[in-house]
Short mmCIF file of all heavy atoms in Angstrom, two decimals:
data_model
loop_
_atom_site.label_atom_id
_atom_site.label_comp_id
_atom_site.label_asym_id
_atom_site.label_seq_id
_atom_site.Cartn_x
_atom_site.Cartn_y
_atom_site.Cartn_z
N GLU A 318 -20.55 -5.39 7.68
CA GLU A 318 -19.32 -5.43 6.89
C GLU A 318 -18.11 -5.06 7.73
O GLU A 318 -17.04 -5.68 7.60
CB GLU A 318 -19.45 -4.50 5.68
CG GLU A 318 -20.44 -5.02 4.64
CD GLU A 318 -20.78 -3.98 3.58
OE1 GLU A 318 -20.76 -2.77 3.90
OE2 GLU A 318 -21.10 -4.37 2.45
N TRP A 319 -18.27 -4.09 8.61
CA TRP A 319 -17.17 -3.72 9.51
C TRP A 319 -16.83 -4.90 10.42
O TRP A 319 -15.65 -5.14 10.73
CB TRP A 319 -17.53 -2.51 10.35
CG TRP A 319 -17.29 -1.17 9.71
CD1 TRP A 319 -18.18 -0.17 9.53
CD2 TRP A 319 -16.04 -0.69 9.20
NE1 TRP A 319 -17.58 0.91 8.91
CE2 TRP A 319 -16.27 0.62 8.70
CE3 TRP A 319 -14.76 -1.23 9.09
CZ2 TRP A 319 -15.26 1.39 8.13
CZ3 TRP A 319 -13.75 -0.47 8.51
CH2 TRP A 319 -14.01 0.83 8.04
N ALA A 320 -17.84 -5.64 10.86
CA ALA A 320 -17.60 -6.79 11.73
C ALA A 320 -16.76 -7.84 11.01
O ALA A 320 -15.86 -8.46 11.61
CB ALA A 320 -18.93 -7.39 12.20
N GLN A 321 -17.06 -8.06 9.72
CA GLN A 321 -16.28 -9.02 8.94
C GLN A 321 -14.85 -8.55 8.74
O GLN A 321 -13.90 -9.34 8.82
CB GLN A 321 -16.95 -9.25 7.58
CG GLN A 321 -16.23 -10.28 6.71
CD GLN A 321 -17.06 -10.70 5.52
OE1 GLN A 321 -18.14 -11.25 5.66
NE2 GLN A 321 -16.55 -10.43 4.32
N ILE A 322 -14.68 -7.25 8.51
CA ILE A 322 -13.33 -6.68 8.37
C ILE A 322 -12.56 -6.83 9.68
O ILE A 322 -11.37 -7.18 9.68
CB ILE A 322 -13.43 -5.20 7.95
CG1 ILE A 322 -14.00 -5.09 6.53
CG2 ILE A 322 -12.06 -4.52 8.04
CD1 ILE A 322 -14.40 -3.68 6.15
N ALA A 323 -13.24 -6.60 10.80
CA ALA A 323 -12.59 -6.74 12.11
C ALA A 323 -12.13 -8.18 12.33
O ALA A 323 -11.05 -8.41 12.90
CB ALA A 323 -13.56 -6.31 13.22
N GLN A 324 -12.93 -9.15 11.90
CA GLN A 324 -12.53 -10.55 12.02
C GLN A 324 -11.28 -10.84 11.18
O GLN A 324 -10.38 -11.58 11.61
CB GLN A 324 -13.66 -11.46 11.56
CG GLN A 324 -14.86 -11.50 12.51
CD GLN A 324 -15.98 -12.36 11.96
OE1 GLN A 324 -15.92 -12.88 10.84
NE2 GLN A 324 -17.04 -12.51 12.75
N THR A 325 -11.22 -10.24 9.99
CA THR A 325 -10.06 -10.44 9.12
C THR A 325 -8.81 -9.83 9.74
O THR A 325 -7.72 -10.43 9.71
CB THR A 325 -10.32 -9.81 7.73
OG1 THR A 325 -11.55 -10.35 7.19
CG2 THR A 325 -9.18 -10.11 6.77
N VAL A 326 -8.95 -8.65 10.32
CA VAL A 326 -7.81 -7.99 10.97
C VAL A 326 -7.33 -8.83 12.15
O VAL A 326 -6.11 -9.03 12.35
CB VAL A 326 -8.20 -6.57 11.43
CG1 VAL A 326 -7.12 -5.97 12.32
CG2 VAL A 326 -8.44 -5.68 10.22
N GLU A 327 -8.25 -9.35 12.94
CA GLU A 327 -7.87 -10.17 14.09
C GLU A 327 -7.18 -11.45 13.63
O GLU A 327 -6.20 -11.89 14.25
CB GLU A 327 -9.12 -10.49 14.92
CG GLU A 327 -8.90 -11.48 16.06
CD GLU A 327 -7.90 -11.01 17.11
OE1 GLU A 327 -7.51 -9.82 17.10
OE2 GLU A 327 -7.50 -11.84 17.95
N GLN A 328 -7.67 -12.05 12.54
CA GLN A 328 -7.02 -13.25 12.02
C GLN A 328 -5.60 -12.94 11.55
O GLN A 328 -4.69 -13.75 11.75
CB GLN A 328 -7.84 -13.84 10.88
CG GLN A 328 -7.28 -15.10 10.24
CD GLN A 328 -7.24 -16.30 11.18
OE1 GLN A 328 -7.77 -16.23 12.29
NE2 GLN A 328 -6.62 -17.38 10.75
N ALA A 329 -5.42 -11.77 10.93
CA ALA A 329 -4.07 -11.37 10.51
C ALA A 329 -3.15 -11.27 11.71
O ALA A 329 -1.99 -11.70 11.66
CB ALA A 329 -4.14 -10.04 9.77
N ARG A 330 -3.64 -10.73 12.80
CA ARG A 330 -2.83 -10.63 14.02
C ARG A 330 -2.46 -12.02 14.53
O ARG A 330 -1.30 -12.28 14.88
CB ARG A 330 -3.61 -9.87 15.10
CG ARG A 330 -2.80 -9.59 16.37
CD ARG A 330 -3.70 -9.07 17.49
NE ARG A 330 -4.61 -10.11 17.96
CZ ARG A 330 -4.30 -11.03 18.87
NH1 ARG A 330 -3.08 -11.05 19.41
NH2 ARG A 330 -5.18 -11.93 19.25
N VAL A 331 -3.43 -12.92 14.56
CA VAL A 331 -3.18 -14.28 15.04
C VAL A 331 -2.15 -15.00 14.17
O VAL A 331 -1.31 -15.76 14.67
CB VAL A 331 -4.50 -15.08 15.08
CG1 VAL A 331 -4.25 -16.56 15.36
CG2 VAL A 331 -5.45 -14.50 16.12
N LEU A 332 -2.17 -14.73 12.87
CA LEU A 332 -1.25 -15.39 11.94
C LEU A 332 0.17 -14.82 12.01
O LEU A 332 1.09 -15.38 11.41
CB LEU A 332 -1.77 -15.27 10.51
CG LEU A 332 -3.00 -16.13 10.18
CD1 LEU A 332 -3.52 -15.82 8.78
CD2 LEU A 332 -2.68 -17.62 10.31
N GLY A 333 0.34 -13.70 12.71
CA GLY A 333 1.68 -13.17 12.88
C GLY A 333 1.97 -11.86 12.18
O GLY A 333 3.12 -11.40 12.17
N TYR A 334 0.96 -11.22 11.59
CA TYR A 334 1.16 -9.91 10.96
C TYR A 334 1.14 -8.82 12.04
O TYR A 334 0.34 -8.88 12.97
CB TYR A 334 0.09 -9.64 9.91
CG TYR A 334 0.17 -10.56 8.71
CD1 TYR A 334 -0.59 -11.73 8.66
CD2 TYR A 334 1.01 -10.28 7.65
CE1 TYR A 334 -0.51 -12.58 7.58
CE2 TYR A 334 1.09 -11.13 6.56
CZ TYR A 334 0.32 -12.28 6.53
OH TYR A 334 0.40 -13.12 5.45
N SER A 335 1.99 -7.84 11.88
CA SER A 335 2.06 -6.73 12.84
C SER A 335 1.36 -5.48 12.34
O SER A 335 0.95 -4.63 13.14
CB SER A 335 3.52 -6.39 13.15
OG SER A 335 4.18 -7.48 13.73
N VAL A 336 1.26 -5.34 11.01
CA VAL A 336 0.66 -4.15 10.40
C VAL A 336 -0.22 -4.58 9.24
O VAL A 336 0.19 -5.41 8.42
CB VAL A 336 1.74 -3.16 9.88
CG1 VAL A 336 1.09 -1.93 9.25
CG2 VAL A 336 2.68 -2.75 11.00
N VAL A 337 -1.43 -4.02 9.16
CA VAL A 337 -2.31 -4.23 8.00
C VAL A 337 -2.83 -2.87 7.55
O VAL A 337 -2.83 -1.90 8.32
CB VAL A 337 -3.50 -5.17 8.32
CG1 VAL A 337 -3.02 -6.56 8.68
CG2 VAL A 337 -4.38 -4.58 9.41
N ALA A 338 -3.28 -2.81 6.31
CA ALA A 338 -3.89 -1.59 5.79
C ALA A 338 -5.27 -1.91 5.24
O ALA A 338 -5.43 -2.87 4.47
CB ALA A 338 -3.02 -0.97 4.69
N LEU A 339 -6.26 -1.15 5.66
CA LEU A 339 -7.60 -1.28 5.10
C LEU A 339 -7.65 -0.48 3.81
O LEU A 339 -7.30 0.71 3.79
CB LEU A 339 -8.65 -0.76 6.09
CG LEU A 339 -8.65 -1.41 7.47
CD1 LEU A 339 -9.81 -0.89 8.31
CD2 LEU A 339 -8.70 -2.93 7.37
N ASN A 340 -8.07 -1.12 2.73
CA ASN A 340 -7.91 -0.56 1.39
C ASN A 340 -9.24 -0.15 0.78
O ASN A 340 -10.12 -0.99 0.56
CB ASN A 340 -7.21 -1.60 0.50
CG ASN A 340 -6.96 -1.09 -0.90
OD1 ASN A 340 -6.90 0.12 -1.14
ND2 ASN A 340 -6.83 -2.00 -1.85
N LEU A 341 -9.38 1.15 0.51
CA LEU A 341 -10.55 1.67 -0.21
C LEU A 341 -10.17 1.79 -1.68
O LEU A 341 -9.26 2.54 -2.04
CB LEU A 341 -10.95 3.04 0.34
CG LEU A 341 -12.05 3.78 -0.42
CD1 LEU A 341 -13.37 3.06 -0.28
CD2 LEU A 341 -12.17 5.22 0.07
N THR A 342 -10.86 1.05 -2.55
CA THR A 342 -10.60 1.12 -3.99
C THR A 342 -11.56 2.11 -4.62
O THR A 342 -12.78 2.01 -4.45
CB THR A 342 -10.77 -0.26 -4.65
OG1 THR A 342 -9.80 -1.15 -4.08
CG2 THR A 342 -10.53 -0.18 -6.15
N LEU A 343 -10.99 3.07 -5.32
CA LEU A 343 -11.75 4.19 -5.87
C LEU A 343 -11.87 4.07 -7.38
O LEU A 343 -10.87 3.89 -8.08
CB LEU A 343 -11.05 5.50 -5.50
CG LEU A 343 -11.56 6.79 -6.15
CD1 LEU A 343 -12.95 7.11 -5.63
CD2 LEU A 343 -10.61 7.93 -5.86
N GLN A 344 -13.09 4.16 -7.87
CA GLN A 344 -13.36 4.22 -9.30
C GLN A 344 -13.72 5.67 -9.64
O GLN A 344 -14.69 6.21 -9.12
CB GLN A 344 -14.53 3.30 -9.68
CG GLN A 344 -14.34 1.85 -9.29
CD GLN A 344 -13.50 1.09 -10.30
OE1 GLN A 344 -13.20 1.58 -11.39
NE2 GLN A 344 -13.13 -0.13 -9.94
N GLY A 345 -12.96 6.32 -10.50
CA GLY A 345 -13.23 7.71 -10.83
C GLY A 345 -12.45 8.66 -9.96
O GLY A 345 -11.53 8.29 -9.24
N LYS A 346 -12.85 9.95 -9.99
CA LYS A 346 -12.13 10.98 -9.25
C LYS A 346 -12.48 10.94 -7.77
O LYS A 346 -13.57 10.56 -7.38
CB LYS A 346 -12.45 12.37 -9.83
CG LYS A 346 -11.91 12.59 -11.23
CD LYS A 346 -12.19 14.02 -11.71
CE LYS A 346 -11.63 14.26 -13.11
NZ LYS A 346 -11.87 15.63 -13.58
N LEU A 347 -11.52 11.37 -6.97
CA LEU A 347 -11.71 11.43 -5.53
C LEU A 347 -12.68 12.54 -5.18
O LEU A 347 -12.62 13.64 -5.71
CB LEU A 347 -10.37 11.68 -4.84
CG LEU A 347 -10.38 11.67 -3.32
CD1 LEU A 347 -10.61 10.26 -2.81
CD2 LEU A 347 -9.06 12.21 -2.78
N ALA A 348 -13.62 12.24 -4.28
CA ALA A 348 -14.60 13.22 -3.83
C ALA A 348 -14.60 13.25 -2.30
O ALA A 348 -14.18 12.29 -1.66
CB ALA A 348 -16.00 12.84 -4.35
N PRO A 349 -15.08 14.35 -1.69
CA PRO A 349 -15.07 14.45 -0.23
C PRO A 349 -15.77 13.29 0.47
O PRO A 349 -15.36 12.87 1.55
CB PRO A 349 -15.80 15.78 0.02
CG PRO A 349 -15.56 16.58 -1.21
CD PRO A 349 -15.56 15.59 -2.33
N GLU A 350 -16.85 12.77 -0.15
CA GLU A 350 -17.58 11.68 0.51
C GLU A 350 -16.76 10.40 0.63
O GLU A 350 -17.07 9.53 1.46
CB GLU A 350 -18.89 11.37 -0.23
CG GLU A 350 -18.74 11.05 -1.71
CD GLU A 350 -19.01 12.28 -2.58
OE1 GLU A 350 -18.75 13.39 -2.11
OE2 GLU A 350 -19.48 12.09 -3.72
N HIS A 351 -15.71 10.28 -0.18
CA HIS A 351 -14.87 9.10 -0.07
C HIS A 351 -14.06 9.09 1.22
O HIS A 351 -13.55 8.05 1.63
CB HIS A 351 -13.91 9.00 -1.27
CG HIS A 351 -14.61 8.75 -2.57
ND1 HIS A 351 -14.43 9.54 -3.67
CD2 HIS A 351 -15.51 7.80 -2.92
CE1 HIS A 351 -15.19 9.09 -4.66
NE2 HIS A 351 -15.84 8.04 -4.23
N LEU A 352 -13.91 10.25 1.85
CA LEU A 352 -13.17 10.34 3.10
C LEU A 352 -14.06 10.06 4.31
O LEU A 352 -13.57 9.69 5.37
CB LEU A 352 -12.53 11.72 3.23
CG LEU A 352 -11.61 12.14 2.07
CD1 LEU A 352 -11.07 13.54 2.32
CD2 LEU A 352 -10.47 11.16 1.89
N SER A 353 -15.37 10.22 4.16
CA SER A 353 -16.28 10.07 5.29
C SER A 353 -16.54 8.62 5.65
O SER A 353 -17.11 8.34 6.71
CB SER A 353 -17.62 10.76 4.99
OG SER A 353 -18.26 10.15 3.87
N VAL A 354 -16.12 7.68 4.80
CA VAL A 354 -16.36 6.28 5.08
C VAL A 354 -15.69 5.84 6.38
O VAL A 354 -16.17 4.93 7.08
CB VAL A 354 -15.88 5.40 3.91
CG1 VAL A 354 -14.37 5.45 3.78
CG2 VAL A 354 -16.33 3.94 4.08
N TRP A 355 -14.62 6.54 6.78
CA TRP A 355 -13.88 6.17 7.98
C TRP A 355 -14.56 6.65 9.25
O TRP A 355 -14.15 6.27 10.36
CB TRP A 355 -12.45 6.69 7.91
CG TRP A 355 -11.75 6.25 6.68
CD1 TRP A 355 -11.51 6.97 5.55
CD2 TRP A 355 -11.23 4.93 6.41
NE1 TRP A 355 -10.87 6.20 4.61
CE2 TRP A 355 -10.69 4.95 5.11
CE3 TRP A 355 -11.17 3.75 7.16
CZ2 TRP A 355 -10.09 3.82 4.53
CZ3 TRP A 355 -10.58 2.64 6.59
CH2 TRP A 355 -10.04 2.68 5.29
#
Side-chain angles (χ1 to χ4, degrees):
E318 290 168 330
W319 275 125
Q321 182 168 298
I322 293 168
Q324 290 177 356
T325 306
V326 170
E327 173 61 11
Q328 180 66 7
R330 186 191 69 84
V331 171
L332 288 174
Y334 294 94
S335 298
V336 180
V337 296
L339 304 185
N340 182 23
L341 173 68
T342 298
L343 171 67
Q344 302 278 351
K346 293 183 179 181
L347 184 70
E350 55 262 30
H351 293 127
L352 304 179
S353 63
V354 67
W355 305 103

